[in-house]
Amino acid sequence: MAPSTVICIGMAGSGKTTFMQRLNSHLHSKKTPPYVINLDPAVLKVPFGANIDIRDSVKYKKVMEEYNLGPNGAIVTSLNLFATKIDQVIKLVEKRSDKVKNVIIDTPGQIECFIWSASGSIITEAFASTFPTVIAYIVDTPRNTSPTTFISNMLYACSILYKTKLPMIVVFNKTDVKKADFAKEWMQDFEVFQAALKEDQDLNGEEGTSSGYMSSLVNSMSLMLEEFYSQLDVVGVSAYTGEGFDEFLDAIDNKVEEYNEYYKAERDRILKKKEEDEKKRQAKSLDHLMKDLDIKDKKNKDSDVLSDYEDEEFDDENNGEVLRDEDEPEREYTFPEDRNSEINSKNDADLQARYQAAFEATAKDASSKTLETMAEYIRR
Ligand SMILES: Nc1nc2c(ncn2[C@@H]2O[C@H](COP(=O)(O)OP(=O)(O)OP(=O)(O)O)[C@@H](O)[C@H]2O)c(=O)[nH]1
């Protein structure tokens, strides 16, 4: 059976790395050691033994120096460089797929560097199209007790869910400091959340985070997020004490089932649609091309007809000489001698010389003398 992949995503300081460390040791204790991947190029120490570490192939500080980048730009560039090798990474994981039940991946704390970058999408897609893949969104519980902070964090999680189109588990970490019951309640009961929002507003007054416009915005957002909450599994854990990790493993199994039942079918449908759209696009452009060729053919035919006509009318027996209509009166030349210079090719050299002389005369002097010279030329 293909191993399930858990991609850990969370705001900086949410405890992702500590969570990964605990998850790793928890799975080891269950005798199902996971395959561990670190995708954070900027981390100084990885407290878990990573099977694949982005830092082995990309040196973050060198990327900063070489490409003259800031910290976030260097993270994105490092991920871009790593993404070019993602097929090799997938092959390495595939080789271990009969021995490993879980692949766990740590990502940079700067979420946007991973989620909203092309390389982040490539890496996520590569895993999601090969293995059942689940997102674990890690939340710092003690820092999310304010309804406004909580809803902002949930909004971010929501955007990640819709961006990745993968099943998601929201993991409230640090439950040793603050239990996650309040958050679970807020997610299940809109009225409880509203009451908390009102209480926060009363406590902090107009100066508070939930005042005025903000509180009405938070209210509307919480209503909108109800649909999002219904798609999630929520667990509370403590990366310090190990509390809640069995529940987290159950949530993974649940989401993997969901992935196989719904998300995989949905992904296959999207991929199939993409393929069909591409085929249609190709057929359409081929059609356009054929039409263009058809038009060109017709144009060619038209020009054939024209040249046939030309051939018949002018070239045939008259050797290109335009015949005068019999009814047309004899053309009279004002200066009969001019006719020689116009028609007789034997005077070509003479004509050339006269043009040359006229040109030189006019080129020398571009004043009214030019006109005189021209007049003289015509008179000659
Ligand atoms: N009390 C408590 N503290 C925790 C827990 N998990 C992590 N921490 C602390 O939270 C802080 C951040 O933890 P990290 O694991 O470094 O967080 P991170 O999300 O990986 O941070 P970045 O690497 O910046 O993205 C550290 O001081 C941890 O000791 C927990 O379960 N309980």
Side-chain angles (χ1 to χ4, degrees), residues 114-128:
F114 184 76
I115 286 297
W116 302 104
S117 69
S119 47
S121 302
I122 291 168
I123 294 168
T124 312
E125 269 299 309
F127 277 99

Side-chain angles (χ1 to χ4, degrees), residues 10-19 40 43 106-110 173-177 237-241:
M11 303 260 182
S14 57
K16 259 182 308 80
T17 309
T18 319
F19 173 82
D40 188 350
V43 73
D106 194 11
T107 59
Q110 287 74 2
N173 190 26
K174 308 189 186 181
T175 52
D176 54 299
V177 179
V237 301
S238 166
Y240 267 5
T241 63

